[in-house]
Amino acid sequence: MAQFFKAQKRNNKTTRLPVLDIAVDTVDHHGKGICLTHKPIIVVANAVPGELYKIQITEQKQRVWFAKIVKVLKANEHRSAPFCQHYNECGGCSQQDFSASYQYQVKQDALEVFLRKNLDDSVFPPSVSFNDVLPYDDTVRTSIATDPKASKTPAIAYRRKARLSIDSRQASKVKIGYRAKQSNKIIDINVCPILDTPIQEPLFALTQVLKTLPIVKMLGHMTVLSDKQRQQVCLHLTKAPDYSALTQLKEATREIDLELTLELPESYEKSSPKSLVSLSNLVDAKANLAKCQKLNASFSICDDGETNIMLSPNHFIQVNAKVNIDMLKTAKQWLSLTKNDTLVDLFAGLGNFSLHFANDVKQCIAAEGVAEMVELGKQNAALNGLINVLFKHVDLSDVDAFKELNIPENSTFIIDPARQGALELMQVFSKLKPKRILYVSCNPISFARDINCLDEKYQIKQIKALDMFPFTEHIEMMALLERV
């Protein structure tokens, strides 16, 4: 007898997730508030202890619920009004509701709790702790120039490099800005207080002009670079512009006080790879790329007043100059390098550590996995007159590749890997037996994993939190490990 499939009736009723009044007990290393008294625990974004919230549960799992704040029922004394008009929709900052000093302390405490839980006391002794409180001036809530010699600095206006996206699908509603919170939607912004102060006015004058020009349809995004003396914006083109479009752009931006560079697509005169050029030079060359000088590194930074580092818009740098300077000073103090030392800088990049410490050591070996950055690192060494820095292109995940570096035993190592950490390097350390390892990390999870995989016995002697991105949940760190 034939049987026919009969579809079951769908239940169109949607389950309403609970709305609760709660307080959180702690903050985790991701910057999320955790309510431990509820079973299961509840994770609440942007929540801190000492406040009472009305929350909406957004997701329920067996062992953990996730929620968002609907209303703050009781605020603590550190809560303050956001200083940016785009805060509620822009995804750039996530924690402008509190003072920078309070956020730093909360993030530092959460980081220490995580590391204590995941590292043995023999590795992270109780006698070693985070005891540094960043001297933020929380009274400064607008982007104004401040005295560089002041004992305290504002947390705002810290970012010297940023990427702005462009949505030009509707000619009458061009949007230039950052992504929205938890979305790919672009929020059109006309102010950004976290950007370096000198770049703010010319940048937003530029974005307003771009919205009126046909060339905006050819732009994918823009990169902003700012230093004490120079401000630069690189426009990344997805289509090849003609001479008239370039001329129009130059004329329209003539009065805007910043340097304009272009990253041309491969389709531009069949250039491969993409070419970086000055807008002014390309127009002067009548848009003929063959007659226009291509740029390798078109910008420079000088954090210590002595060491110049050249870079292009596509190269990685520490975006927070103030924290980078503090990190370099701390590293110099901890390491106490001498002319008898060999310094090995892994994930060296453009030479942030290598170039700054080269004059303190006998030899510096700078290993980097990106060939382009190695070549620019060599140029930076020559620019600063440093003859004892050896930049090498090395696959840092290949243990055997380190043999060609001829690293002496008892060398001092600095490693500054990406978020995934440097697990493979732990095998290298077990063979080379470094005297000291300065580990700079943007991910405490991979840091703890790596340290636990060290074969040799190393112990944390110094540790410090780095607030590279104030007003966000992110926290970075540096730790000095010595062989015991």
Side-chain angles (χ1 to χ4, degrees):
M1 179 178 177
Q3 293 184 348
F4 295 93
F5 171 76
K6 184 176 181 181
Q8 295 181 350
K9 291 183 178 181
R10 288 185 177 182
N11 182 7
N12 293 324
K13 292 183 179 179
T14 57
T15 303
R16 286 192 174 184
L17 296 177
V19 175
L20 305 172
D21 292 351
I22 68 160
V24 300
D25 303 290
T26 188
V27 174
D28 69 5
H29 58 286
H30 294 298
K32 310 294 185 185
I34 310 294
C35 177
L36 300 172
T37 54
H38 186 275
K39 301 300 179 185
I41 64 171
I42 303 177
V43 178
V44 188
N46 300 331
V48 297
E51 295 195 322
L52 181 65
Y53 306 103
K54 184 177 290 295
I55 63 167
Q56 169 69 65
I57 303 298
T58 57
E59 184 181 359
Q60 291 177 314
K61 294 185 176 181
Q62 185 174 359
R63 300 179 64 181
V64 58
W65 289 4
F66 297 90
K68 64 180 181 180
I69 297 173
V70 175
K71 185 178 181 181
V72 179
L73 301 176
K74 180 183 178 182
N76 72 17
E77 67 273 22
H78 302 287
R79 180 170 284 274
S80 57
F83 53 82
C84 179
Q85 65 192 51
H86 302 293
Y87 171 68
N88 289 329
E89 52 182 357
C90 176
C93 296
S94 58
Q95 294 181 347
Q96 287 188 13
D97 302 296
F98 302 96
S99 69
S101 296
Y102 175 69
Q103 290 176 46
Y104 177 77
Q105 193 63 56
V106 168
K107 291 190 284 187
Q108 180 179 260
D109 292 346
L111 177 60
E112 181 161 9
V113 168
F114 173 80
L115 293 177
R116 294 288 180 202
K117 182 178 179 181
N118 289 275
L119 295 175
D120 191 85
D121 284 353
S122 62
V123 177
F124 187 13
S127 58
V128 178
S129 63
F130 296 92
N131 54 14
D132 179 62
V133 177
L134 207 61
Y136 284 139
D137 183 355
D138 293 321
T139 64
V140 180
R141 304 285 287 177
T142 57
S143 298
I144 59 174
T146 57
D147 181 1
K149 296 181 180 180
S151 60
K152 292 187 176 183
T153 59
I156 60 168
Y158 71 85
R159 193 166 187 127
R160 62 179 168 186
K161 183 181 180 182
R163 170 176 168 153
L164 275 67
S165 300
I166 301 172
D167 182 357
S168 59
R169 290 174 295 179
Q170 297 184 47
S172 61
K173 295 183 179 180
V174 176
K175 298 177 181 178
I176 303 177
Y178 303 116
R179 302 286 178 180
K181 295 180 186 295
Q182 299 180 331
S183 170
N184 286 325
K185 178 184 174 183
I186 295 173
I187 301 300
D188 189 40
I189 64 173
N190 56 18
V191 66
C192 180
I194 66 168
L195 288 178
D196 190 26
T197 302
I199 192 66
Q200 294 191 36
E201 183 176 341
L203 171 63
F204 293 108
L206 173 65
T207 59
Q208 294 308 307
V209 169
L210 286 176
K211 292 175 183 179
T212 67
L213 300 178
I215 200 171
V216 75
K217 287 280 188 181
M218 307 174 193
L219 301 180
H221 66 279
M222 64 172 64
T223 302
V224 178
L225 284 168
S226 182
D227 195 40
K228 300 179 184 70
Q229 305 298 328
R230 298 174 62 190
Q231 287 72 50
Q232 184 186 96
V233 172
C234 179
L235 304 178
H236 301 261
L237 289 107
T238 58
K239 297 179 181 178
D242 57 24
Y243 178 60
S244 63
L246 294 170
T247 303
Q248 188 180 34
L249 175 61
K250 182 179 178 180
E251 289 298 319
T253 58
R254 186 180 297 276
E255 300 300 321
I256 301 176
D257 188 20
L258 52 75
E259 300 174 18
L260 262 183
T261 60
L262 307 174
E263 184 185 58
L264 301 171
E266 295 178 5
S267 60
Y268 193 90
E269 296 185 5
K270 297 181 180 180
S271 62
S272 183
K274 296 178 180 180
S275 298
L276 185 68
V277 297
S278 160
L279 168 64
S280 181
N281 289 350
L282 188 59
V283 171
D284 291 345
K286 305 297 183 183
N288 187 332
L289 185 59
K291 296 181 180 180
C292 180
Q293 180 183 2
K294 297 179 183 178
L295 303 174
N296 180 12
S298 59
F299 199 80
S300 66
I301 58 174
C302 183
D303 286 348
D304 64 355
E306 298 178 0
T307 308
N308 292 288
I309 299 180
M310 302 293 293
L311 67 147
S312 84
N314 294 324
H315 293 137
F316 171 81
I317 60 168
Q318 297 291 0
V319 301
N320 192 323
K322 297 172 187 174
V323 176
N324 190 52
I325 292 169
D326 182 51
M327 178 175 70
L328 292 170
K329 288 181 178 178
T330 302
K332 189 179 184 72
Q333 178 185 350
W334 287 359
L335 293 174
S336 299
L337 296 165
T338 72
K339 289 293 186 179
N340 295 321
D341 288 319
T342 294
L343 177 64
V344 184
D345 184 9
L346 305 181
F347 306 95
L350 300 173
N352 188 44
F353 287 106
S354 304
L355 301 178
H356 284 100
F357 297 150
N359 286 324
D360 299 329
V361 298
K362 177 181 179 181
Q363 178 190 23
C364 181
I365 301 171
E368 168 58 43
V370 180
E372 181 184 357
M373 298 187 80
V374 171
E375 292 305 310
L376 193 49
K378 293 177 181 179
Q379 295 177 35
N380 281 322
L383 175 68
N384 290 277
L386 300 171
I387 60 174
N388 64 334
V389 181
L390 176 65
F391 274 88
K392 294 288 289 185
H393 181 215
V394 177
D395 181 357
L396 295 172
S397 64
D398 183 0
V399 176
D400 294 330
F402 282 82
K403 294 178 181 178
E404 64 183 67
L405 296 179
N406 297 318
I407 300 172
E409 193 170 306
N410 288 323
S411 294
T412 295
F413 280 71
I414 297 178
I415 62 173
D416 186 5
R419 291 191 62 79
Q420 62 264 34
L423 184 59
E424 294 85 1
L425 287 180
M426 301 305 110
Q427 300 178 48
V428 175
F429 293 152
S430 66
K431 295 180 179 179
L432 295 176
K433 298 178 174 56
K435 179 171 61 174
R436 294 168 297 183
I437 303 170
L438 179 65
Y439 194 136
V440 180
S441 173
C442 58
N443 183 359
I445 297 176
S446 58
F447 170 81
R449 178 206 63 200
D450 292 351
I451 301 307
N452 282 324
C453 289
L454 277 173
D455 290 342
E456 284 285 332
K457 191 69 174 176
Y458 285 87
Q459 189 176 85
I460 294 174
K461 297 295 185 179
Q462 302 275 4
I463 196 162
K464 180 184 179 75
L466 301 169
D467 199 17
M468 285 288 184
F469 302 94
F471 308 110
T472 74
E473 69 274 13
H474 299 292
I475 189 70
E476 303 191 12
M477 57 168 290
M478 61 190 297
L480 177 65
L481 296 103
E482 294 184 358
R483 193 170 69 240
V484 294

